[in-house]
Amino acid sequence: MNEQELQHYGVVGMKWGVIRARQKTRSIARQQKKALKYDKKAAKFTKKSEKAHMEEDLKATNRAVKKATKLNVKAAKLEKKANSASSDTRQYRLQNKAAKKAYKASQYQVKANRVSKTMGYGFKAMKYSVKSDVA
């Protein structure tokens, strides 16, 4: 071995005097900062989602209830006409129409009873929440 030769058995690419533990704490701090950012975004979109759900659900529910009521009234009128119909075929047709209107009214009623809807904000909030858990 030459006396003028310098050999180094450290980590490749490591700078002289740099302690590796500091780099780990920096990366942990970076990850925590990233997770906090995603938590904030998730909270923001959750709040937007809840607000949108309330407004949209109330509007949609009210529309569905109104349509269901109108269809029930029409079905009742058709049923009344069917009871006073002169021929059997006319009575059958009117009862069939009344049943269809009543069925459609029940569909709107089911729609009105369903309170929660899935909206885009909820998906975004969930996405950022998962990202913050991973980070």
Side-chain angles (χ1 to χ4, degrees), residues 107-123:
Q107 284 181 326
Y108 278 112
Q109 196 61 48
V110 167
K111 197 179 209 179
N113 291 340
R114 192 173 354 152
V115 176
S116 67
K117 277 184 160 182
T118 308
M119 304 215 27
Y121 294 124
F123 287 128

Side-chain angles (χ1 to χ4, degrees), residues 74-99:
K74 286 181 180 180
K77 285 181 181 178
L78 286 170
E79 196 64 45
K80 189 176 177 183
K81 278 185 181 180
N83 290 337
S84 62
S86 56
S87 68
D88 289 338
T89 56
R90 181 156 171 74
Q91 184 179 9
Y92 173 75
R93 285 183 187 157
L94 289 172
Q95 284 176 341
N96 196 8
K97 278 186 180 181

Side-chain angles (χ1 to χ4, degrees), residues 4-117:
Q4 292 178 351
E5 204 173 287
L6 177 67
Q7 291 185 349
H8 177 258
Y9 296 101
V11 179
V12 177
M14 186 172 175
K15 307 280 191 215
W16 283 97
V18 175
I19 300 170
R20 289 183 71 78
R22 279 193 207 147
Q23 290 177 348
K24 283 201 178 220
T25 56
R26 282 188 205 138
S27 69
I28 291 170
R30 228 180 292 130
Q31 286 175 342
Q32 287 174 342
K33 195 174 180 181
K34 204 176 199 180
L36 181 65
K37 180 181 86 171
Y38 287 134
D39 279 339
K40 284 180 182 177
K41 279 188 174 185
K44 174 182 145 186
F45 283 110
T46 301
K47 189 174 180 182
K48 276 187 174 184
S49 174
E50 288 171 358
K51 184 178 178 185
H53 276 287
M54 286 191 312
E55 291 172 359
E56 276 299 310
D57 286 341
L58 286 175
K59 288 177 187 174
T61 302
N62 288 340
R63 283 193 303 265
V65 167
K66 284 179 184 177
K67 284 183 180 181
T69 305
K70 283 181 182 179
L71 288 169
N72 277 329
V73 168
K74 286 181 180 180
K77 285 181 181 178
L78 286 170
E79 196 64 45
K80 189 176 177 183
K81 278 185 181 180
N83 290 337
S84 62
S86 56
S87 68
D88 289 338
T89 56
R90 181 156 171 74
Q91 184 179 9
Y92 173 75
R93 285 183 187 157
L94 289 172
Q95 284 176 341
N96 196 8
K97 278 186 180 181
K100 284 181 181 178
K101 298 275 184 201
Y103 176 72
K104 198 154 188 135
S106 68
Q107 284 181 326
Y108 278 112
Q109 196 61 48
V110 167
K111 197 179 209 179
N113 291 340
R114 192 173 354 152
V115 176
S116 67
K117 277 184 160 182

